[in-house]
Amino acid sequence: MYVYQDYDRQLLNERVAQFRDQTRRYLDGQLSDDEFLPLRLQNGLYIQRYAPMLRVSVPYGMLNSTQLRTLGHIARTWDKGYAHVSTRQNIQYNWPELENVPDILAELAKVEMHAIQTSGNCIRNVTTDEFAGINAAEVEDPRPWCEIIRQWATFNPEFAYLPRKFKIAVNAVPNEDPALIGVHDIGVQIVHRDGETGFTVLAGGGLGRTPMTGEVIGEFVPWQHLLSYLEAILRVYNKYGNRDNKYKARIKILVKALGAEKFRELTEAEFAELKDGPITLTADEVDRMRGHFSEPAYDGSATDQPAALTEALASSKAFNRWYHTNVHAHRQPGYAAVTLTLKKTGRAPGDITDTEFDAVADLADQYSFGELRTTHQQNIVLGDVRQDQLFALWEALEVLGFATPNLKLLTDIIACPGGDFCSLANAKSIPVAEAIQRHFEDMDYLHDLGPIDLNISGCMNACGHHHIGHIGILGVDKKGREYYQITLGGRGDKTSRIGEKLGPSFEADEVVPVIARLVDLYVEQRQPDELFIDTYERLGIDPFKERAYASHH
Amino acid sequence: MPAIIKDGTIVDDSWQRLTAEQIEQQGLPAEGDLIVPLPVWQAQRDAIAARAGRTAVCLEPGEEPSEIAADLDRLPLVAIDFPAFKDGRGYSYARELRTRYQYTGEVRAVGDVLRDQLFYMHRVGFNAFQIRADRDIEDALNGLKDFSVTYQGDVNDPRPIYRRR
């Protein structure tokens, strides 16, 4: 993990002091609501339906156990004893008091954490694959590049008042998109060419009101020029992005309006000026960053499929089932990555309590070198677990309720906090997620169905990533009543793709029966070993549409 | 005389900023230091330059420095207006004036200019700030000192932190 230097710490402390003073001036009436707004947003603070919401940054999803205990302490001390893992790998608190936020930020700063630029019209937290650094398929570890981008983006003076929010994701896996770079404002794909690291840079992807996938702007940007290229894109966006209408202000609208060709031309003109200038990365800096993400002290004698694992798989059906859904292959022989699902029925997707934070921190210390990762699917990963300790870890997770063997299955639902918490929402998400989980509670049936991504957003802003769910559910408001629009065929797996609308929206109590009918059609029509999404792609939307609206005839 | 922040201190300001409407109604003042809108400058460049006082141009969002690139050597000051502080185009304009055009004159932020934006403004190349009239300029001065550390290079020191170590 990146280890803070003195200047990183000093910067954080100065930020806390700055925000403490800004909060004081706001409460004294020296700053208007409008003036305080971007200042608090760039410290992660929203004013929500019932209380402020504080979004804490988890840079590219990496956490250590000390930080996790602090997150638990904050939930206990200043919130109602729980927090929420967001789809951008951050941690959200739903009930802090504004007056306490400077103290919360000071507490976070002690463990090298913050809420910088987790909201507002600036460059947000950079995200990547939750298996970064341990994924055998990646060309190299993307995290050093994420940290390089994080530092460039943090308090970048030119890009603090952009037309709209700006999200960057980095992917190092060829032919798959675990970081969803196709639907980010900028997507960075790490590639190797002739032994040198470089980047294919996409711009103009995004979800929200007008979902679309990004266009390749930079075909191959050599590693030295990563920041120059990003800065060139940001400069074009800052100058020409729409500022009159917030719904047309994301970079995707600009790229679409200009066309990729023209956007590239403008970017290249800015890039020509920056290239080889002082912003150019040095080999020393890249080496230093790579040094921060060196391997933990793996046991070199550990081997794959040790006897202890084979025996446990044979003796416990429940462990076996969990192993096949929640355990991920690892680059290092003898090790595995384990996903803790925060998706047990009855738990709001992604929610975690103060005592659970502490318990997971203990497990990270015991089984995974004290490190863990948050995922955009709102789960938690212990990245470096010895295979001969998987059974013991599973037993501990069973007790905590984090061993639900539903990873990537229909009930591993991604959902935003929705109308229960969020003032932007048109409809509730959590009760819909729970109703679906209750209907599909039979584990045998769920495993028989295989991987299905079901994502729920309470409004157009798409925090629940509904556009890229194989099944997407969007809350809409119709004359003051909550309705749900369903999309099919979105993808956020091998590739990022926007789903297609099924048709008119449904009332809340129709959602579960409709999902059940769609799933039934899949079961009737699937070929051997065919996944839901593959059957959908083979048949097209029409038969699903017909089945979904069958009861309306 | 109104005060502004310039080069880190509060100083009296001799410049008068007029709108296009004011100039149309009253004509150009025969003397005195004058900040005019870009369209006025473009239409009456020579008449303005022939006056007794000094002249500066004010850029609005959407009016890029390239529009005055050829005139920069005779402009002692370029003002950049922030009609609303949330419109960040002016940050890129200031930076462009300093790095693309190597402009060394005064770059002044005018309009909705407030304490909490000064630190960033200073980093992108503004060296003068006309603080919004209803705000305490002494208090605003503190905004230049929010941070003692930065990651990126900027107009004052182009080296990012990895070239400063």
Side-chain angles (χ1 to χ4, degrees):
Chain A
M1 252 177 94
Y2 180 68
V3 177
Y4 271 38
Q5 311 297 303
D6 286 345
Y7 53 81
D8 298 297
R9 267 187 290 274
Q10 190 173 341
L11 195 65
L12 267 202
N13 291 336
E14 289 174 359
R15 176 59 152 194
V16 174
Q18 182 195 38
F19 189 65
R20 194 180 289 283
D21 187 59
Q22 288 166 342
T23 306
R24 178 190 61 77
R25 282 185 281 131
Y26 170 69
L27 293 170
D28 284 356
Q30 295 173 42
L31 280 172
S32 69
D33 283 341
D34 205 38
E35 289 159 9
F36 187 55
L37 178 79
L39 307 179
R40 66 170 165 78
L41 287 178
Q42 298 206 11
N43 280 289
L45 189 62
Y46 286 76
I47 301 299
Q48 283 290 21
R49 182 151 287 187
Y50 301 108
M53 183 273 276
L54 179 66
R55 182 181 293 148
V56 174
S57 182
V58 182
Y60 36 93
M62 289 297 300
L63 284 166
N64 63 39
S65 54
T66 307
Q67 293 173 327
L68 209 64
R69 290 191 183 92
T70 291
L71 293 173
H73 166 67
I74 290 169
R76 194 158 41 235
T77 311
W78 288 289
D79 206 288
K80 295 189 177 179
Y82 69 99
H84 175 79
V85 178
S86 84
T87 53
R88 283 190 55 75
Q89 301 178 278
N90 292 321
I91 300 283
Q92 298 180 174
Y93 293 98
N94 284 302
W95 306 97
E97 297 289 341
L98 171 61
E99 293 77 357
N100 294 330
V101 171
D103 289 339
I104 298 174
L105 296 181
E107 199 64 27
L108 287 168
K110 286 183 198 166
V111 294
E112 305 179 353
M113 293 189 82
H114 56 78
I116 294 165
Q117 292 171 209
T118 55
S119 177
N121 296 334
C122 53
I123 306 171
R124 305 286 190 87
N125 184 21
V126 54
T127 54
T128 190
D129 179 11
E130 70 257 32
F131 299 116
I134 54 179
N135 190 335
E138 71 190 14
V139 296
E140 66 175 79
D141 190 342
R143 294 172 301 172
W145 301 106
C146 290
E147 179 60 26
I148 284 169
I149 294 170
R150 185 191 77 81
Q151 296 196 7
W152 162 78
T154 299
F155 306 146
N156 190 310
E158 193 176 342
F159 308 127
Y161 295 93
L162 295 170
R164 199 77 176 84
K165 59 186 169 184
F166 203 93
K167 300 174 180 180
I168 301 175
V170 182
N171 179 29
V173 184
N175 307 316
E176 273 183 58
D177 192 9
L180 309 177
I181 63 168
V183 289
H184 276 74
D185 295 284
I186 288 180
V188 176
Q189 177 76 41
I190 304 179
V191 287
H192 285 180
R193 186 186 282 183
D194 306 326
E196 282 284 296
T197 297
F199 310 94
T200 299
V201 179
L202 286 74
L207 299 174
R209 190 166 294 250
T210 320
M212 58 184 89
T213 48
E215 302 266 6
V216 173
I217 301 300
E219 194 73 51
F220 183 84
V221 178
W223 65 267
Q224 300 91 326
H225 304 306
L226 173 64
L227 297 183
S228 336
Y229 207 84
L230 296 181
E231 185 143 320
I233 292 177
L234 263 296
R235 198 163 288 168
V236 171
Y237 173 56
N238 191 40
K239 286 200 290 184
Y240 305 117
N242 186 312
R243 290 175 186 269
D244 300 328
N245 179 347
K246 73 180 265 197
Y247 300 121
K248 297 195 158 108
R250 295 287 289 271
I251 193 175
K252 60 193 173 186
I253 306 290
L254 179 65
V255 173
K256 185 135 183 118
L258 292 174
E261 198 54 45
K262 178 70 182 167
F263 187 88
R264 184 177 305 118
E265 198 180 296
L266 292 170
T267 300
E268 292 287 339
E270 297 287 348
F271 178 58
E273 200 173 292
L274 290 159
K275 192 169 177 279
D276 299 318
I279 192 174
T280 307
L281 284 164
T282 61
D284 280 354
E285 174 66 354
V286 175
D287 285 348
R288 184 180 81 90
M289 286 300 188
R290 285 184 172 141
H292 281 286
F293 297 91
S294 56
E295 283 185 356
Y298 292 127
D299 178 352
S301 68
T303 54
D304 283 336
Q305 298 294 318
L309 174 61
T310 318
E311 284 158 26
L313 287 171
S315 63
S316 167
K317 188 178 175 230
F319 172 68
N320 194 308
R321 172 168 275 170
W322 173 83
Y323 176 82
H324 284 101
T325 51
N326 293 36
V327 176
H328 194 268
H330 199 289
R331 200 165 49 73
Q332 178 71 19
Y335 284 80
V338 169
T339 303
L340 284 57
T341 37
L342 277 56
K343 305 293 176 68
K344 196 181 166 81
T345 302
R347 173 193 290 275
D351 274 11
I352 176 167
T353 69
D354 60 332
T355 52
E356 288 168 346
F357 272 125
D358 290 342
V360 173
D362 291 345
L363 292 177
D365 283 339
Q366 196 176 348
Y367 294 104
S368 196
F369 301 95
E371 288 188 359
L372 45 117
R373 299 124 184 268
T374 49
T375 82
H376 79 262
Q377 294 94 345
Q378 305 173 291
N379 294 314
I380 288 178
V381 167
L382 294 181
D384 301 287
V385 181
R386 275 179 70 121
Q387 292 177 15
D388 54 10
Q389 296 185 333
L390 285 170
F391 186 75
L393 173 60
W394 171 73
E395 285 186 308
L397 293 175
E398 275 278 278
V399 175
L400 288 171
F402 288 141
T404 311
N406 63 349
L407 186 70
K408 297 198 185 301
L409 303 183
L410 185 58
T411 56
D412 181 18
I413 294 170
I414 296 179
C416 67
D420 292 299
F421 296 96
C422 178
S423 51
L424 301 173
N426 290 321
K428 295 187 184 71
S429 326
I430 294 169
V432 176
E434 186 174 341
I436 294 167
Q437 287 173 327
R438 289 205 184 285
H439 185 85
F440 292 96
E441 225 163 13
D442 183 321
M443 273 299 161
D444 291 322
Y445 181 56
L446 210 52
H447 278 249
D448 175 59
L449 291 177
I452 303 178
D453 292 344
L454 190 149
N455 299 354
I456 307 175
S457 303
C459 77
M460 290 285 211
N461 292 306
C463 294
H465 293 179
H466 66 278
H467 298 114
I468 55 169
H470 301 154
I471 301 174
I473 301 179
L474 165 68
V476 292
D477 175 276
K478 275 194 189 172
K479 297 178 183 139
R481 290 189 62 186
E482 296 185 349
Y483 277 73
Y484 295 88
Q485 189 173 74
I486 293 179
T487 53
L488 288 180
R491 293 193 86 141
D493 42 32
K494 295 252 179 283
T495 181
S496 289
R497 200 178 56 208
I498 308 300
E500 203 176 334
K501 278 179 202 158
L502 195 59
S505 54
F506 298 96
E507 292 200 56
D509 59 3
E510 291 179 297
V511 172
V512 169
V514 167
I515 302 298
R517 288 203 292 277
L518 295 172
V519 168
D520 285 346
L521 179 70
Y522 157 65
V523 172
E524 290 161 26
Q525 296 290 328
R526 68 179 164 185
Q527 294 175 349
D529 296 325
E530 195 177 48
L531 303 182
F532 177 87
I533 185 67
D534 297 327
T535 302
Y536 172 80
E537 288 181 6
R538 181 168 54 80
L539 296 178
I541 198 166
D542 290 340
F544 288 93
K545 194 178 279 188
E546 200 174 301
R547 181 67 64 93
Y549 295 96
S551 68
H552 291 237
H553 292 305
Chain B
M1 205 174 262
I4 61 159
I5 293 173
K6 187 177 172 186
D7 298 327
T9 53
I10 296 169
V11 296
D12 289 336
D13 179 41
S14 65
W15 291 86
Q16 183 188 13
R17 181 178 160 213
L18 294 180
T19 64
E21 295 72 41
Q22 287 169 322
I23 293 169
E24 199 176 320
Q25 285 162 13
Q26 306 159 17
L28 284 167
E31 54 189 34
D33 296 340
L34 190 63
I35 302 175
V36 300
L38 177 70
V40 173
W41 170 255
Q42 287 171 329
Q44 310 179 48
R45 205 174 314 228
D46 294 328
I48 295 170
R51 295 166 52 258
R54 296 180 296 169
T55 309
V57 173
C58 182
L59 299 177
E60 296 295 323
E63 297 171 352
E64 294 188 53
S66 58
E67 308 233 30
I68 50 168
D71 303 323
L72 286 173
D73 53 4
R74 55 170 163 159
L75 293 173
L77 183 159
V78 175
I80 295 174
D81 187 28
F82 290 84
F85 77 93
K86 289 178 196 173
D87 187 331
R89 280 175 280 189
Y91 292 81
S92 286
Y93 297 168
R95 176 134 183 173
E96 216 165 281
L97 280 171
R98 297 298 192 199
T99 58
R100 178 170 300 169
Y101 300 109
Q102 313 293 324
Y103 180 67
T104 55
E106 178 176 331
V107 179
R108 179 183 295 193
V110 301
D112 197 10
V113 180
L114 303 167
R115 167 182 167 165
D116 293 292
Q117 284 75 47
L118 291 202
F119 189 78
Y120 288 170
M121 285 182 168
H122 180 245
R123 291 190 64 200
V124 297
F126 289 99
N127 69 319
F129 310 91
Q130 185 171 38
I131 301 299
R132 208 173 75 192
D134 63 335
R135 292 304 156 98
D136 179 355
I137 192 169
E138 296 275 355
D139 177 60
L141 204 50
N142 292 314
L144 289 171
K145 294 180 288 210
D146 279 348
F147 295 96
S148 64
V149 195
T150 55
Y151 283 130
Q152 314 78 9
D154 59 27
V155 163
N156 307 302
D157 183 349
R159 297 170 306 160
I161 194 151
Y162 45 88
R163 290 181 186 273
R164 274 179 260 151
R165 275 193 298 265

